[in-house]
Amino acid sequence: MSSDEVIRIASPADFHVHLRQGRLSALVTPHVRKGGFTLAYVMPNLKPPITSTEQALAYKGDLEALDPDVEYLMTLYLSPELTPDEIRKASRAGIVGVKSYPRGVTTNSDGGIESYEPYYPVFEAMQEVGMVLNLHGEIPSNPATNTCVLNAEPQFLPHLVSLHVRFPRLRIVLEHATTRAAVETVKSLGDTVGCTITAHHLSLTVDDWAGQSFHFCKPVAKYPDDREALQEVIREGHPRFFLGSDSAPHPPAAKATATPTDACAAGVYTSPILLPLTAHLLESFGALDKLEGFVSTFGRKFYGKEVTGTESQASVTLRKKKTTVDKVWALETEEVVSFWAGKELNWSLE
Ligand SMILES: O=C1C[C@@H](C(=O)O)NC(=O)N1
């Protein structure tokens, strides 16, 4: 329901977020709801990574203790410990997906994969039980193949296509797409392939992160034409493209020196402003009428998490009212610098 001044969204869902552990988690987990969201699809790249059902359930318990009013959908980290039996166990325990990180491409990806073939039995089991494969879609930089952060995503796309061809019933999500090539590839594939888009990639291009390490994330933001492709597919209201914020907090000192050759502190932090920021950006490129699809219904449908009667009462209201974004979010000794720090947003949460 919307008028010129007010928009109501049924149960916004963030289908890709980093909630960390320990004191940093205590700071950032309550920001999911502060940013307007009632569902969080939680990434497993902790130290150590979440590789078993027990670990994922314990982590879910930690998050529920920090904010019980968010639905946390849990994921496992694709690694050699993961067996088809563990997949069946995880599925029975309500774990929703498995996240694949190519080795070395981003934060805590040292234990990531080098080839998909050894995991085919795991993917077969996931297809059987209906678990989702979440792909970080980048090839590690390599001068021998002319691969660097700017073409790492397009060079990854053949892997997405071949996984889909081999496992056509396996639901696969290409995470945080940044290029026109990625948008076109996902559109060309079947209904079992979805794609998340972050809020920050709707705003940034190379010019914004080269020399500004707080805007450095993986995959890096690309060319203006790539950003235009992300905006176009949202304007079109394509139902397989939905929000996954990839909101990724890091200590300010680590962010200040982050570079593509040391991807340890890759990440942009958007959680506490996520819904107003997304509304602001969609309005800026003429897609405000697609907001509810992009932040709620499309992703929920892909994951089979449609809004029920009670959840629809958990709707969130945005009002057209300017606010200035805080520069830093803090809890005791923990601090995170916000995306859009000190800038104005046109929309506020009620
Ligand atoms: O894939 C990722 C990981 C994330 C993080 O910091 O965990 N930050 C990013 O920018 N991209």
Side-chain angles (χ1 to χ4, degrees):
M1 186 189 82
S2 74
S3 74
D4 281 351
E5 295 300 317
V6 172
I7 306 174
R8 188 162 295 155
I9 307 281
S11 298
D14 180 355
F15 278 103
H16 183 135
V17 62
H18 297 271
L19 297 180
R20 307 301 195 213
Q21 54 208 129
R23 288 181 312 187
L24 186 53
S25 189
L27 167 61
V28 303
T29 301
H31 288 172
V32 172
R33 219 147 43 82
K34 186 172 182 53
F37 286 74
T38 49
L39 182 152
Y41 192 82
V42 183
M43 290 298 117
N45 59 334
L46 304 189
K47 284 184 179 166
I50 303 285
T51 54
S52 70
T53 305
E54 279 76 22
Q55 276 177 291
L57 293 180
Y59 184 32
K60 187 177 189 197
D62 294 343
L63 299 174
E64 282 169 345
L66 291 166
D67 185 349
D69 293 327
V70 168
E71 181 179 7
Y72 301 98
L73 301 185
M74 306 310 289
T75 59
L76 299 178
Y77 190 105
L78 187 63
S79 67
E81 287 112 275
L82 212 50
T83 60
D85 277 349
E86 187 64 24
I87 289 294
R88 286 185 270 274
K89 184 174 166 191
S91 171
R92 283 194 300 274
I95 292 162
V96 177
V98 174
K99 175 73 186 285
S100 144
Y101 290 95
R103 183 165 299 178
V105 295
T106 190
T107 310
N108 298 347
S109 61
D110 305 349
I113 63 116
E114 289 182 292
S115 147
Y116 287 114
E117 280 77 4
Y119 295 100
Y120 285 174
V122 166
F123 299 155
E124 194 67 59
M126 288 171 65
Q127 182 168 252
E128 242 168 66
V129 299
M131 272 173 89
V132 174
L133 177 62
N134 304 98
L135 297 178
H136 183 114
E138 288 190 294
I139 298 288
S141 291
N142 179 0
T145 54
N146 189 35
T147 312
C148 69
V149 293
L150 288 178
N151 59 12
E153 184 177 275
Q155 290 196 9
F156 175 85
L157 295 171
H159 293 288
L160 167 65
V161 175
S162 69
L163 285 171
H164 176 56
V165 168
R166 188 172 276 269
F167 302 100
R169 290 180 294 109
L170 176 64
R171 276 176 299 157
I172 302 177
V173 179
L174 179 68
E175 300 294 337
H176 39 52
T178 57
T179 54
R180 183 173 289 279
V183 170
E184 283 171 1
T185 300
V186 170
K187 280 172 106 172
S188 74
L189 300 176
D191 282 350
T192 48
V193 180
C195 183
T196 54
I197 295 177
T198 74
H200 52 278
H201 287 125
L202 296 172
S203 160
L204 303 173
T205 66
V206 176
D207 288 1
D208 299 298
W209 62 261
Q212 209 316 14
S213 60
F214 283 83
H215 287 162
F216 168 64
C217 59
K218 290 301 303 292
V220 297
K222 306 294 191 311
Y223 293 87
D225 180 64
D226 292 304
R227 181 179 60 181
E228 178 59 29
L230 302 176
Q231 296 177 351
E232 270 167 20
V233 80
I234 294 172
R235 219 165 20 233
E236 184 186 316
H238 195 298
R240 286 189 284 118
F241 291 78
F242 45 85
L243 180 73
S245 71
D246 195 19
S247 179
H250 290 276
K255 278 302 301 170
T257 55
T259 66
T261 48
D262 172 17
C264 293
V268 165
Y269 190 58
T270 52
S271 272
I273 56 163
L274 189 57
L275 194 55
L277 173 69
T278 308
H280 181 100
L281 293 169
L282 264 58
E283 185 178 40
S284 74
F285 57 86
L288 195 57
D289 60 326
K290 302 302 187 316
L291 184 66
E292 187 167 60
F294 182 61
V295 303
S296 179
T297 44
F298 296 163
R300 283 181 171 279
K301 181 143 198 296
F302 187 87
Y303 277 95
K305 292 279 165 193
E306 285 94 340
V307 174
T308 61
T310 36
E311 278 168 330
S312 67
Q313 284 147 21
S315 67
V316 174
T317 303
L318 283 161
R319 185 167 292 278
K320 189 140 200 192
K321 184 170 147 241
K322 289 194 190 299
T323 43
T324 304
V325 174
D326 288 359
K327 292 206 166 103
V328 171
W329 302 94
L331 180 69
E332 295 164 4
T333 54
E334 297 300 312
E335 277 193 359
V336 188
V337 174
S338 186
F339 184 60
W340 216 257
K343 287 168 69 173
E344 258 189 0
L345 292 173
N346 287 340
W347 292 87
S348 308
L349 285 172
E350 287 221 319

